Amino acid sequence: MDLFRRHEGHQEVDSKSYWALGYSFEPLNDEQKHQRRENLDYYGFAAQWSVLIIFVLFQMSFGIRWIVTKGMRYEQPKSPSFNKGREKTLGWLKSLHSRYARTTWWMQKDVVQRGDWGTRGEWIGGTLWTAWLLYLCFVNTSPDYLHLTKRFGQIGASQLPLHYLLAMRTPYSPVQWITRLSHEQLKAAHQILGRIVYLLFILHAVFYFVFFAMSGFLAKRIKDWDVIFGIFSLTLFAAISTTALGFVRRRNYRVFYISHIAIANFIIVPMYLHVSHIRLYVYQIIIVECLHLIFRAIRLKMYQGTLRLLPGTNLVQIRIPLPDNHAALDWHPGQHVYLTRPWGSAKAPSYYQQWLMVNKSNPFTIASLPAVDRELLLVARTLNGNTKHLGALAQKLAQGGSGLPMLPTATGDIPILPIALEGPYGASNRLPDLSDFDKVLLVAGGVGATFVMPLYRAIAEYHDTTPGATQVRFVWAVQKLADTQWAFPDTQTEGEDERDEAREEAVGNGLLNKASTVEVYVTRPSGGSHNTAPSTSPIFAVDDDDEGEQFEMQENEQLLSMEEQMERPRKGMTVKSGQPKMGGIVDEVFSRGIRTAVICCGPKRLTEDLKRSVEVYVKKGHDVYWYDETFGW
């Protein structure tokens, strides 16, 4: 039971010993120790709740942006006497809005062109928050060296509940509500705060070891349980920080994922046993973790769907029919779900196999419009890990003999699989109403179109059909035309026929330009390798294992040549060869005095090329909304 008793404090040296920077090892009486403990609790409380200032700033920015936007859209009075003052106010608002847009754009630029060094805004925000926490560590501690040492640990521990809140995937997270940001958008703050906490804990440990060494207590204290649990906690923090590095995540996502989840849940035990002073924060972490598990369980649902390979590609397609009045019919375009590893057998899986299935999940963007198509469509490129398993399972099911119930289709019977999905998640439900913009430019690369295509279709399906409304241009770069077949199938269902009718109606009313067709740029001939490198950006599939070889697909020997593909574009597309020239496309879309939205999802090289082209117009003062759908962990 000694492990659970409160640690009353370290035995301190009997004489004053000077260290550095005005700090010394101060012998304190009981009253002074009690006062130090109250100060430690107070500044830990101040560090934890000072995040409310950031939340208030978010609300103020929302209010100011709303006022500026409403002011710029205010209908101009007919009286010339009113117009003069109105034009002056409008000019001031436009100038303010333009400066805000340019500043935001500058903050969102990467610090380093290549690599995972983050954006300028992340570095500025991280530096300011680090400086604030370090100030709280130092203020009113001199000349007590141990007070400073303890303050590092107290302030670091005070940030852990917020750190866990930022990692909450569920949209029920209070941080997501307050900031209006999704889990994907908040992950950078989670990573930055984790590094800050790790830094504070390192300082806490280093300063204590210096104290033990200089006071002659090192040999004794290193054997005490509170020190042992502190070292163990710091070791776990080092492990979780190392496996979270970008190159580790890219090389082996499963190592990152498992270590992150396991250590994050286990580390609360040695922290609880380390000292009693931080147990309040440990209790808060436990509450956050329990709520997170409950909210995730609420969003985990079982479905029935089909899995098959798309001919001539290394893409797998999952289709899940939705019954009437199903909650998924209300999901927003571009949201994503986490797909657990399907069980491709009529034999029920064991409890251990069920646990493995649930803990091997990947994010997939919903490529359909559930309310219109009455189904969920998921598309992924088979690479390694779970997507490789999906491809192998699709091949196995296509050979028959699975014992699963079958779904009759025009191309033959397809086995029906039980599929577990967790979601929906994503920031697309927080996108502005695209019909409010004069022009919308949508750009996708590869299966990044699983995010962009539903947005493109939603404009025609849901928005106003008034002549002269939003003009939309959709550019999609693929390596082979066969990669587009999930969006433009040869045979159309009743829902797809309705989709075409809505699209044609939108063309007639001026909603969609370019004859309502998607501009498909085919970058490679059909004979090239299908095992292409994954995009680093879109949430179409994130693989998790380090198996060296990629999934070997059965090639379609009758796949058309490039020239034949160009002669047979499917309905709704215009096919071009080569890489899209982003500079020219942006020049055609942008013009003075219009509001333009640019939304992209694809390989980093494509999105960076597009961003450089759009930046020219941002600097000129154009009203631009930019959104880049990314997924990095």
Side-chain angles (χ1 to χ4, degrees):
M1 296 300 295
D2 290 341
L3 298 180
F4 296 89
R5 289 190 307 191
R6 176 171 180 146
H7 180 62
E8 297 298 339
H10 305 297
Q11 178 184 354
E12 300 176 2
V13 290
D14 295 331
S15 60
K16 184 174 180 180
S17 176
Y18 177 76
W19 182 67
L21 303 176
Y23 284 90
S24 59
F25 305 147
E26 292 279 337
L28 304 180
N29 57 37
D30 291 340
E31 182 179 352
Q32 289 173 323
K33 290 179 182 179
H34 178 72
Q35 181 62 42
R36 181 172 65 187
R37 171 48 47 198
E38 288 187 345
N39 284 337
L40 287 168
D41 293 339
Y42 170 78
Y43 282 101
F45 178 86
Q48 182 178 48
W49 292 100
S50 58
V51 71
L52 293 178
I53 298 175
I54 297 179
F55 293 156
V56 170
L57 292 176
F58 264 96
Q59 301 307 310
M60 291 176 60
S61 68
F62 295 148
I64 293 173
R65 188 165 54 187
W66 182 84
I67 293 172
V68 172
T69 303
K70 286 295 182 180
M72 292 175 62
R73 296 182 188 178
Y74 187 79
E75 185 177 356
Q76 184 171 335
K78 297 180 180 180
S79 172
S81 60
F82 284 102
N83 285 341
K84 186 175 181 180
R86 173 62 188 158
E87 290 175 359
K88 183 177 180 180
T89 302
L90 188 60
W92 178 80
L93 289 175
K94 286 183 176 180
S95 175
L96 179 63
H97 183 269
S98 178
R99 291 181 181 180
Y100 169 81
R102 288 196 296 269
T103 302
T104 303
W105 187 272
W106 184 87
M107 299 276 279
Q108 291 175 347
K109 294 192 67 174
D110 291 335
V111 174
V112 179
Q113 190 70 20
R114 298 181 182 275
D116 297 321
W117 289 91
T119 64
R120 294 168 176 172
E122 292 168 6
W123 275 87
I124 293 173
T127 300
L128 291 176
W129 194 247
T130 302
W132 167 244
L133 294 182
L134 287 176
Y135 168 76
L136 293 178
C137 289
F138 279 90
V139 64
N140 293 332
T141 58
S142 180
D144 188 354
Y145 175 91
L146 273 181
H147 193 172
L148 174 64
T149 304
K150 293 172 182 288
R151 191 80 70 84
F152 285 131
Q154 190 81 11
I155 298 297
S158 72
Q159 301 300 293
L160 286 175
L162 175 61
H163 183 57
Y164 278 72
L165 273 175
L166 290 170
M168 286 186 70
R169 182 185 298 174
T170 169
Y172 301 121
S173 164
V175 179
Q176 293 188 33
W177 281 352
I178 295 172
T179 62
R180 303 181 190 177
L181 299 175
S182 69
H183 163 67
E184 291 73 31
Q185 294 170 311
L186 289 172
K187 71 178 185 291
H190 170 76
Q191 294 168 339
I192 293 169
L193 186 59
R195 297 183 184 115
I196 296 173
V197 170
Y198 184 41
L199 170 64
L200 294 175
F201 284 162
I202 288 177
L203 293 174
H204 174 70
V206 169
F207 274 53
Y208 250 129
F209 270 94
V210 170
F211 167 73
F212 292 152
M214 294 184 67
S215 58
F217 295 153
L218 183 59
K220 173 186 178 298
R221 294 292 286 124
I222 201 71
K223 300 176 184 178
D224 291 339
W225 280 110
D226 62 313
V227 177
I228 292 174
F229 284 121
I231 295 173
F232 188 38
S233 300
L234 188 64
T235 303
L236 292 177
F237 271 106
I240 201 172
S241 300
T242 302
T243 56
L245 295 175
F247 75 91
V248 177
R249 298 198 308 268
R250 288 190 298 270
R251 183 175 180 83
N252 195 322
Y253 183 83
R254 182 55 55 184
V255 169
F256 155 73
Y257 182 80
I258 293 178
S259 63
H260 218 72
I261 300 301
I263 296 175
N265 286 278
F266 177 72
I267 202 171
I268 60 179
V269 176
M271 287 185 61
Y272 180 90
L273 298 174
H274 176 47
V275 289
S276 62
H277 316 308
I278 63 172
R279 287 178 185 172
L280 174 63
Y281 306 123
V282 174
Y283 296 144
Q284 294 173 0
I285 293 171
I286 294 174
I287 293 174
V288 170
E289 284 290 271
C290 290
L291 290 176
H292 191 197
L293 291 175
I294 293 173
F295 292 148
R296 287 189 59 186
I298 292 174
R299 288 187 163 246
L300 182 65
K301 304 293 183 182
M302 292 299 302
Y303 299 83
Q304 299 289 325
T306 61
L307 170 68
R308 75 181 186 98
L309 297 170
L310 296 180
T313 72
N314 61 348
L315 301 177
V316 291
Q317 175 181 274
I318 299 173
R319 306 184 79 132
I320 302 173
L322 297 175
D324 293 338
N325 300 321
H326 196 281
L329 296 174
D330 297 326
W331 291 0
H332 296 273
Q335 288 186 305
H336 66 272
V337 294
Y338 282 80
L339 169 70
T340 63
R341 178 173 287 193
W343 181 253
S345 174
K347 180 182 177 181
S350 65
Y351 288 110
Y352 175 71
Q353 289 167 329
Q354 293 180 36
W355 181 85
L356 286 179
M357 291 162 57
V358 171
N359 285 276
K360 288 193 173 183
S361 61
N362 290 62
F364 291 83
T365 300
I366 302 167
S368 59
L369 287 181
V372 176
D373 303 330
R374 322 298 288 185
E375 70 170 9
L376 300 178
L377 173 64
L378 310 178
V379 179
R381 192 177 301 281
T382 56
L383 297 168
N384 297 318
N386 276 354
T387 55
K388 180 179 179 179
H389 170 79
L390 289 176
L393 178 59
Q395 275 194 328
K396 176 184 175 182
L397 295 176
Q399 296 170 1
S402 64
L404 295 168
M406 307 296 287
L407 175 69
T409 66
T411 58
D413 294 344
I414 303 178
I416 302 176
L417 287 171
I419 297 174
L421 299 180
E422 180 192 335
Y425 299 114
S428 62
N429 62 329
R430 293 180 172 87
L431 292 177
D433 187 351
L434 296 180
S435 63
D436 290 340
F437 294 88
D438 300 302
K439 290 186 178 181
V440 176
L441 174 61
L442 305 173
V443 178
V447 284
T450 55
F451 173 78
V452 178
M453 180 61 75
L455 300 179
Y456 172 76
R457 290 182 51 204
I459 296 175
E461 299 284 354
Y462 302 135
H463 291 163
D464 183 20
T465 58
T466 304
T470 305
Q471 295 185 8
V472 183
R473 185 170 180 180
F474 184 6
V475 177
W476 184 6
V478 295
Q479 294 190 352
K480 305 179 307 299
L481 193 61
D483 289 343
T484 66
Q485 61 185 283
W486 61 267
F488 301 98
D490 280 328
T491 58
Q492 293 192 326
T493 64
E494 179 180 349
E496 288 161 351
D497 290 334
E498 294 175 356
R499 177 202 314 174
D500 286 340
E501 292 175 4
R503 177 170 45 80
E504 291 168 1
E505 179 183 357
V507 174
N509 289 300
L511 267 174
L512 305 177
N513 63 340
K514 292 290 181 182
S516 180
T517 60
V518 178
E519 299 174 50
V520 178
Y521 286 80
V522 182
T523 61
R524 293 185 183 179
S526 60
S529 170
H530 297 304
N531 289 325
T532 58
S535 164
T536 59
S537 297
I539 311 180
F540 53 81
V542 177
D543 287 297
D544 46 28
D545 289 340
D546 60 346
E547 303 176 34
E549 75 282 359
Q550 291 183 327
F551 184 76
E552 298 295 334
M553 306 298 298
Q554 293 182 342
E555 299 290 344
N556 185 350
E557 295 180 355
Q558 298 180 348
L559 194 64
L560 298 176
S561 67
M562 169 63 79
E563 291 75 13
E564 292 172 324
Q565 290 183 27
M566 298 287 284
E567 294 174 358
R568 291 188 55 187
R570 299 184 182 184
K571 187 175 182 181
M573 70 165 67
T574 301
V575 181
K576 303 178 182 180
S577 61
Q579 298 283 349
K581 306 297 183 183
M582 285 299 144
I585 293 172
V586 170
D587 290 341
E588 293 174 5
V589 171
F590 279 77
S591 59
R592 175 65 66 177
I594 65 171
R595 300 182 69 236
T596 307
V598 181
I599 299 176
C600 62
C601 184
K604 192 170 185 179
R605 185 172 61 178
L606 176 70
T607 56
E608 286 181 347
D609 187 18
L610 174 63
K611 195 169 187 177
R612 283 192 298 269
S613 301
V614 174
E615 184 178 7
V616 175
Y617 289 90
V618 173
K619 291 181 177 179
K620 292 180 179 179
H622 285 242
D623 190 355
V624 180
Y625 173 81
W626 168 271
Y627 182 80
D628 179 9
E629 176 76 355
T630 60
F631 187 85
W633 59 317

